[in-house]
Amino acid sequence: MRMPRRGLVIQARTRWLLVGLALLFSLILLMYLLECAPQTDGNGSLPGVVGESMGKEYYQALLQEQEEHYQNRATSLKRQIAQLKQELQEMSDKLKSLQEKKSPKVNGMNYQGTKEQTSNDLLEFLHSQIDKAEVSVGAKLPSEYGVIPFESFTSMKVFQLEMGLTRHPEEKPVRKDKRDELVEVIEAGLEVINNPDEEDGQDEDDGIGDRQLYSENDFIEGYYRTERDKGTQYELFYKKMDGMEYRHVTLFRPFGPLMKVKSETVDISRSIINVIVPLAGRTEAFAQFMQNFRDVCIHQDKRVHLTVVYFGQDGLSEVKSILESVARETDFQNYTLVSLNEEFNRGRGLDMGARAWEKGEVLMFFCDVDVYFTAEFLNSCRLNAEPGKKVFYPVVFSLYNPAIVYANQDIPPPVEQQLVHKKDSGFWRDFGFGMTCQYRTDFLTVGGFDLEVKGWGGEDVHLYRKYLHGELMVIRTPVPGLFHLWHEKHCADELTPEQYRMCIQSKAMNEASHSHLGMLVFRDEIEAHLRKQAYRTNSEAAG
């Protein structure tokens, strides 16, 4: 009989405990209601009695006070909720870590649960990227330069702002991955329109038979832009030929989290660069080149071999004298002079310079006598070329005619002071592929230059395309330590029409910026304006 009696006692205690918890909960609820209840002044009165004398301003102030009170309370609650979420996430992470330690990953159920959790985490991250991006709401920007502009496109054309000097404001996508990207986006937009979700705003009762289906022909135009740390946004517009209603779809391709591909140490301390320079005449330019070579390669880098391939006999003795003078003054003997008694051919000269090396594998830098480079560039050359894997095609910064750039000065400043990256001082020569760093075996494997190309231009593009058609990675990027010095360019009559066009194009782009060329074009108009201003000023002074 003792067991039932003890059970009754336990039941009674449990009942009283539940009653106590209920009372405690009611007390907490009452306190919360009292705290959230509107606070009124003890002297407050009802409308229509004494309160009418206090006027409308009193009630507006009271309402504003209560609104501020609730806003502060809401802010406080939001902060507390955020803190609780953070603590919950931390506890969840700790629990997950403990579960992973206790449960082997080979367990089927555990692996499946982890896989689903990882998928949910990734989906949550991708949605957070959309929330961070400037898709649904605008972002506060410091100035007009902070705007990321869209580029527009149709099913056939892309209209782009960033043209450089070779791309057109309107052109067909050249790269296959870009074409595939736009086709995929247009098709994804069609999938969204033709198979709408509940949140898309279409009635569920509308069957497929009652709904218009859209096709690629109904795509009108689209816009896209990329925020580099978030993803790419697409705005797509579709319309039926005989309708006036547009369908607008917004898509976003979020960037995923950073993933390590590899981490390695690169030792370039013993990497020799064979700088190969083809030359014919231009001995003054060569003397200037050797001054830069002396400062950068001999005094600073000290891991460079120079190969000069000279065409013809005129000026050869002077080039020899310059090399011997530098060798004598600096005790530099790591150079080779190859003499060819034939017409100048840049591809032929670089090919001969590459084959003149007899010490096995070497990193080569194909250079011109008008190029100025820094010690930092030489290290970039070593880091971005790898035998059998990578070739380096840096974009050179080409300087404009100093006589135009510095026309307001008596004489242009020294070359070292002209080496600045400004819009009016030069441009990125993104149509030039002559300066390149690549290993000798890679150069010989692809077959070197097309030696059938005569005279100026074309040979570098042929070699560049060989690498593009192969399996080696081409690193193409502007580098700050590589400059092309301005020199007057002569386009020979013996050039083919295509070469002559390229030569003239290069000559025109080499001369000055758009603004400086405009000043030259309108020089007479500007001078006439200045004369009128001076005459008017003198007339007013005389009067």
Side-chain angles (χ1 to χ4, degrees), residues 160 163-169 171 429-433 505 509:
Q160 53 203 4
M163 296 181 296
L165 290 170
T166 56
R167 293 188 294 171
H168 302 285
E171 66 179 19
R429 188 185 284 262
D430 58 348
F431 57 85
F433 306 95
Q505 180 188 36
M509 292 180 173

Side-chain angles (χ1 to χ4, degrees), residues 100-117:
E100 290 178 352
K101 290 180 180 179
K102 291 181 179 180
S103 302
K105 292 185 177 181
V106 295
N107 185 286
M109 295 296 292
N110 181 57
Y111 174 79
Q112 183 66 26
T114 304
K115 184 177 180 181
E116 291 177 359
Q117 181 63 36

Side-chain angles (χ1 to χ4, degrees), residues 315-370:
L316 178 59
S317 59
E318 193 171 348
V319 168
K320 286 182 179 179
S321 176
I322 293 172
L323 289 171
E324 291 171 356
S325 175
V326 171
R328 199 168 46 249
E329 295 171 3
T330 61
D331 194 25
F332 177 76
Q333 303 298 327
N334 295 326
Y335 72 89
T336 302
L337 177 60
V338 179
S339 177
L340 298 177
N341 191 18
E342 55 187 74
E343 184 182 355
F344 178 79
N345 183 312
R346 185 176 184 272
R348 163 88 168 143
L350 294 172
D351 188 82
M352 289 296 296
R355 298 179 188 278
W357 180 268
E358 297 177 349
K359 301 177 183 179
E361 182 67 290
V362 69
L363 176 58
M364 304 182 301
F365 171 38
F366 294 161
C367 188
D368 285 343
V369 71
D370 302 299

Side-chain angles (χ1 to χ4, degrees), residues 279-533:
L279 186 63
R282 316 243 1 248
T283 54
E284 291 184 4
F286 182 70
Q288 185 180 40
F289 173 86
M290 286 306 299
Q291 182 60 46
N292 174 230
F293 185 88
R294 179 204 299 249
D295 296 339
V296 173
C297 300
I298 300 178
H299 292 160
Q300 298 182 48
D301 191 86
K302 302 177 181 178
R303 293 165 292 166
V304 175
H305 184 95
L306 175 63
T307 300
V308 178
V309 182
Y310 195 85
F311 289 83
Q313 298 298 316
D314 187 17
L316 178 59
S317 59
E318 193 171 348
V319 168
K320 286 182 179 179
S321 176
I322 293 172
L323 289 171
E324 291 171 356
S325 175
V326 171
R328 199 168 46 249
E329 295 171 3
T330 61
D331 194 25
F332 177 76
Q333 303 298 327
N334 295 326
Y335 72 89
T336 302
L337 177 60
V338 179
S339 177
L340 298 177
N341 191 18
E342 55 187 74
E343 184 182 355
F344 178 79
N345 183 312
R346 185 176 184 272
R348 163 88 168 143
L350 294 172
D351 188 82
M352 289 296 296
R355 298 179 188 278
W357 180 268
E358 297 177 349
K359 301 177 183 179
E361 182 67 290
V362 69
L363 176 58
M364 304 182 301
F365 171 38
F366 294 161
C367 188
D368 285 343
V369 71
D370 302 299
V371 167
Y372 185 102
F373 54 87
T374 65
E376 290 75 18
F377 165 73
L378 294 178
N379 287 333
S380 297
C381 182
R382 294 182 175 101
L383 291 171
N384 289 289
E386 188 174 351
K389 294 184 178 180
K390 295 187 295 185
V391 292
F392 186 40
Y393 272 86
V395 180
V396 183
F397 192 79
S398 189
L399 298 177
Y400 291 132
N401 186 346
I404 299 177
V405 176
Y406 305 98
N408 58 342
Q409 302 181 20
D410 295 335
I411 57 173
V415 172
E416 291 76 14
Q417 297 180 19
Q418 299 178 27
L419 306 177
V420 291
H421 301 91
K422 293 184 178 180
K423 192 171 184 179
D424 286 334
S425 64
F427 65 99
W428 292 111
R429 188 185 284 262
D430 58 348
F431 57 85
F433 306 95
M435 308 308 119
T436 173
C437 298
Q438 51 192 261
Y439 277 85
R440 184 173 184 269
T441 53
D442 294 330
F443 174 75
L444 297 177
T445 299
V446 298
F449 288 103
D450 183 357
L451 301 182
E452 297 299 321
V453 178
K454 303 296 182 183
W456 186 92
E459 79 290 332
D460 51 356
V461 181
H462 285 87
L463 178 63
Y464 184 67
R465 288 171 179 167
K466 285 183 179 180
Y467 284 116
L468 295 180
H469 298 159
E471 296 181 353
L472 270 65
M473 184 184 300
V474 177
I475 307 298
R476 177 74 166 162
T477 180
V479 289
L482 192 62
F483 296 86
H484 181 272
L485 305 180
W486 181 88
H487 62 91
E488 192 167 358
K489 189 180 292 293
H490 299 281
C491 300
D493 294 334
E494 293 78 15
L495 296 176
T496 65
E498 178 64 17
Q499 287 179 318
Y500 191 82
R501 184 191 64 80
M502 293 171 61
C503 184
I504 290 294
Q505 180 188 36
S506 177
K507 183 176 181 179
M509 292 180 173
N510 242 358
E511 200 65 21
S513 65
H514 289 175
S515 60
H516 279 154
L517 287 176
M519 297 294 286
L520 291 175
V521 170
F522 299 108
R523 177 187 296 173
D524 294 340
E525 184 176 336
I526 294 171
E527 291 178 353
H529 172 75
L530 293 176
R531 285 194 299 269
K532 290 179 181 178
Q533 289 287 339

